[in-house]
Amino acid sequence: MKIKTLTLSERLCGLIDRLIELNIKNHLIEEMDAIYIRNRLLALFKEDYYILSCTSKSDAYEVLEQLVEVALEKNLIEGNVPARDRFISGIMDLFLDKPSGVNAKFFSLYNEDPRNATKYFYELSQLSTYIKVKQLAKNNQFNIQSPYGEIQITINLSKPEKDPKQIALERLAPSSNYPMCLLCQENEGYEGTIKHPDRANHRMIRVELNQKSWLMQYSPYLYYNEHCIVLSDTHTPMQITANTFYNLLDFTTQFPHYFIGSNADLPIVGGSILSHEHYQGGNHVFPMDHATTLFEFTLPKYEQIQGKVVNWPLSTIELVSDSVEALAACSHEILELWRDYSDESCDILAYTQDTPHNTITPICKREGDHYVMRLVLRNNRTTEAHPLGIFHPHEDVQHIKKENIGLIEVMGLAILPGRLLTELEDVKKYVVGDVAEVAENHQAWAAQLKDTYTGQDVESYIRQALGDKFVRVLEDAGVYKLDTAGLIGFKRFIETCGGVLES
């Protein structure tokens, strides 16, 4: 029996009907919407023909990719990655409610339980393909053991690399100031360009923190479970102020199942985007959450607060209280003291002439009725010996991680570049003697690993060695080292803050 070859139009009709079927099942639309959506999709494909065709059995991602191929055959789009992504986002936007409708549903569910609201919005962001679920599955994730407990490692393969043609197109494309950056609220529904990611299927939740308007979204390339971004509704630079602590505490009051934190507000120790004030949060347990205690202290001025210093490679003060006012005031006071604090015996200088070096990476979460505020002390001073930063990954670990150590890494989750996956395969071959050399940046490390290799499982051996390097990265970023001099220096600062050390 000869199988009939479907025409392009018949294939298109089958794919459209399959996508509608899947999105009814996923509760993005209702049965009543099917004809309307079908007609809008036919218009998008400039197709005036429709016939009930053989419905595809592909999943949503496969259907969308096949629809892109149809669009290419019909010369509706260009073949570069941004054009393909824009087309998919435009399709999925048809299945989404307007921002007002998404917000109304979110807060209706919030009134039942905040967890129900975030569950709805998280699932919506995945089903709409705004969160790149298919790409995220490519990431290589594992845990390793360290002196500080388990450390989480992700080799990030989800972001597609740009090919030379795309890079050339970006260079030729005109500049635009709209949206001003990737975090501006004007991204919601934005078509996208060769330079700016597509956001047609993007939705944001309006929240009020500390009597100011903010917006919440999820990260398209999740680094951990329910990785959300809370951004200012105005394009203002990152800054850690008294309001920061009230903002973080207010967020965890409204969403007690989520942590939230801010990148530091200075170059080198800050995150990758310092031009727009934002925080990152979510529903994830980080290695830092399991850290033990180095020593405890009390603050007579703040009797409601219990303080401790955490056994963690980055210098971390933890404050616990059920009083928002006390925690916000105390955190701001410590920040202000730290900004002007120098300790030359520990290489800590607050200023070089008028250039400030000290700031904080703050992190907030709830534990029952208590609020937990962690203040990670940061310093971005550079020297000739360490031109990228004294408290930044040193040169001998930069072949693994050279970028800023931001909020996520601070908490013990390594986000490592995708290039490492293939590079580590070469290191494994070198260690077991299958190749004679590796990339120059890994050569010294690989030679050391080969010398200490005793025939164990090479995959586990290399993973642990990679994790050990990341732990060194974190130790380099700590302003007070966990040796005798460092602990004495840290205690000196705690006493400067009015802390009374517990014996």
Side-chain angles (χ1 to χ4, degrees):
M1 179 178 173
K2 188 175 181 181
I3 299 174
K4 179 189 173 186
T5 301
L6 297 178
T7 66
L8 182 61
S9 295
E10 288 171 333
R11 277 171 43 216
L12 173 61
C13 292
L15 292 168
I16 287 174
D17 286 346
R18 175 59 173 167
L19 193 60
I20 290 170
E21 176 189 1
L22 288 168
N23 285 319
I24 290 172
K25 183 179 179 181
N26 289 335
H27 306 293
L28 289 184
I29 59 170
E30 299 180 17
E31 290 277 2
M32 186 188 300
D33 302 316
I35 293 173
Y36 169 81
I37 295 293
R38 178 200 298 154
N39 286 333
R40 298 319 305 150
L41 285 169
L42 289 170
L44 181 66
F45 280 89
K46 303 189 184 306
E47 181 64 64
D48 56 8
Y49 171 93
Y50 175 75
I51 184 171
L52 187 62
S53 185
C54 298
T55 303
S56 164
K57 297 300 180 184
S58 301
D59 66 28
Y61 289 96
E62 292 167 340
V63 171
L64 288 167
E65 288 297 331
Q66 291 169 46
L67 284 170
V68 166
E69 295 306 316
V70 172
L72 288 168
E73 288 184 56
K74 291 170 74 72
N75 295 315
L76 298 176
I77 63 171
E78 296 177 5
N80 58 66
V81 172
R84 297 170 72 104
D85 288 346
R86 285 198 301 273
F87 193 73
I88 288 174
S89 294
I91 290 174
M92 290 310 301
D93 181 51
L94 293 172
F95 293 91
L96 297 178
D97 207 342
K98 302 291 189 295
S100 57
V102 172
N103 275 260
K105 178 72 177 290
F106 180 91
F107 285 105
S108 173
L109 291 167
Y110 180 90
N111 290 332
E112 300 171 5
D113 186 332
R115 288 180 181 271
N116 293 344
T118 54
K119 181 176 183 289
Y120 152 73
F121 187 46
Y122 187 55
E123 289 179 352
L124 180 76
S125 300
Q126 293 177 84
L127 292 170
S128 69
T129 73
Y130 173 72
I131 293 176
K132 311 298 184 184
V133 175
K134 187 175 181 180
Q135 290 93 319
L136 288 166
K138 300 174 184 176
N139 287 345
N140 192 319
Q141 299 173 312
F142 54 91
N143 295 347
I144 61 99
Q145 295 299 320
S146 84
Y148 312 99
E150 235 176 25
I151 298 293
Q152 298 167 355
I153 308 290
T154 294
I155 298 178
N156 184 23
L157 301 168
S158 57
K159 285 190 178 181
E161 292 186 21
K162 296 177 182 179
D163 60 37
K165 288 183 180 179
Q166 183 179 334
I167 293 169
L169 287 171
E170 288 183 9
R171 286 176 180 159
L172 294 171
S175 297
S176 172
N177 65 347
Y178 182 87
M180 291 183 69
C181 81
L182 293 173
L183 294 179
C184 285
Q185 64 175 323
E186 287 79 12
N187 283 280
E188 191 174 40
Y190 185 65
E191 177 76 4
T193 67
I194 193 71
K195 284 186 173 181
H196 196 101
D198 55 285
R199 292 291 185 263
N201 57 345
H202 181 32
R203 301 293 184 267
M204 299 181 183
I205 300 300
R206 276 64 181 167
V207 295
E208 184 178 286
L209 300 180
N210 190 25
Q211 300 181 327
K212 182 180 180 298
S213 296
W214 293 74
L215 301 101
M216 182 173 73
Q217 65 179 61
Y218 288 105
S219 169
Y221 294 98
L222 301 172
Y223 290 143
Y224 51 83
N225 186 47
E226 296 179 54
H227 178 186
C228 70
I229 300 170
V230 180
L231 53 100
S232 170
D233 69 344
T234 56
H235 184 72
T236 53
M238 287 290 298
Q239 52 186 336
I240 309 295
T241 68
N243 283 329
T244 301
F245 303 107
Y246 281 105
N247 293 340
L248 301 183
L249 289 158
D250 195 358
F251 182 86
T252 56
T253 298
Q254 296 180 53
F255 301 97
H257 58 299
Y258 273 12
F259 86 92
I260 190 169
S262 174
N263 274 309
D265 55 353
L266 291 178
I268 297 177
V269 294
S272 58
I273 300 178
L274 292 178
S275 62
H276 194 118
E277 188 171 19
H278 68 285
Y279 311 129
Q280 295 181 80
N283 188 8
H284 185 73
V285 178
F286 288 87
M288 177 185 268
D289 294 312
H290 297 299
T292 56
T293 301
L294 281 175
F295 58 88
E296 298 182 342
F297 61 91
T298 56
L299 295 155
K301 185 177 176 181
Y302 299 99
E303 293 181 352
Q304 313 98 310
I305 294 176
Q306 180 59 49
K308 69 178 182 180
V309 165
V310 179
N311 182 19
W312 191 245
L314 285 101
S315 308
T316 304
I317 298 168
E318 182 173 293
L319 307 174
V320 180
S321 179
D322 57 5
S323 169
V324 167
E325 289 292 333
L327 273 179
C330 181
S331 298
H332 183 237
E333 188 173 314
I334 291 173
L335 169 64
E336 290 301 296
L337 286 166
W338 176 245
R339 286 201 192 278
D340 292 326
Y341 188 80
S342 294
D343 185 341
E344 291 190 32
S345 69
C346 294
D347 263 343
I348 298 166
L349 296 182
Y351 295 91
T352 300
Q353 297 175 344
D354 294 329
T355 302
H357 296 307
N358 287 351
T359 187
I360 278 175
T361 299
I363 305 156
C364 186
K365 67 172 186 172
R366 293 282 294 277
E367 289 182 352
D369 293 332
H370 296 302
Y371 294 86
V372 179
M373 182 71 76
R374 292 185 179 130
L375 308 175
V376 184
L377 306 180
R378 312 298 300 274
N379 177 287
N380 77 344
R381 188 165 71 92
T382 62
T383 62
E384 286 187 14
H386 299 292
L388 296 184
I390 301 172
F391 304 107
H392 179 80
H394 290 177
E395 188 175 1
D396 64 320
V397 295
Q398 287 175 9
H399 64 108
I400 295 298
K401 182 75 174 176
K402 189 175 184 178
E403 299 81 8
N404 294 0
I405 303 307
L407 173 69
I408 297 170
E409 286 92 355
V410 162
M411 295 185 287
L413 169 55
I415 307 298
L416 301 179
R419 63 173 170 81
L420 283 176
L421 197 65
T422 52
E423 291 174 6
L424 290 177
E425 287 301 317
D426 291 338
V427 171
K428 288 178 204 171
K429 291 175 183 176
Y430 179 86
V431 166
V432 298
D434 289 344
V435 297
E437 58 183 26
V438 295
E440 185 179 352
N441 63 327
H442 293 308
Q443 183 60 55
W445 180 53
Q448 180 187 10
L449 293 178
K450 188 171 185 176
D451 287 344
T452 54
Y453 180 63
T454 56
Q456 63 267 52
D457 176 62
V458 70
E459 177 74 22
S460 301
Y461 179 68
I462 297 299
R463 283 185 170 188
Q464 182 64 47
L466 180 68
D468 292 343
K469 278 281 184 177
F470 178 68
V471 170
R472 256 290 317 283
V473 163
L474 297 182
E475 290 173 338
D476 287 349
V479 294
Y480 291 110
K481 307 308 177 188
L482 297 182
D483 54 21
T484 301
L487 290 175
I488 290 171
F490 207 161
K491 289 178 179 179
R492 209 161 36 233
F493 176 68
I494 295 297
E495 290 173 335
T496 300
C497 297
V500 177
L501 304 179
E502 296 187 1
S503 54

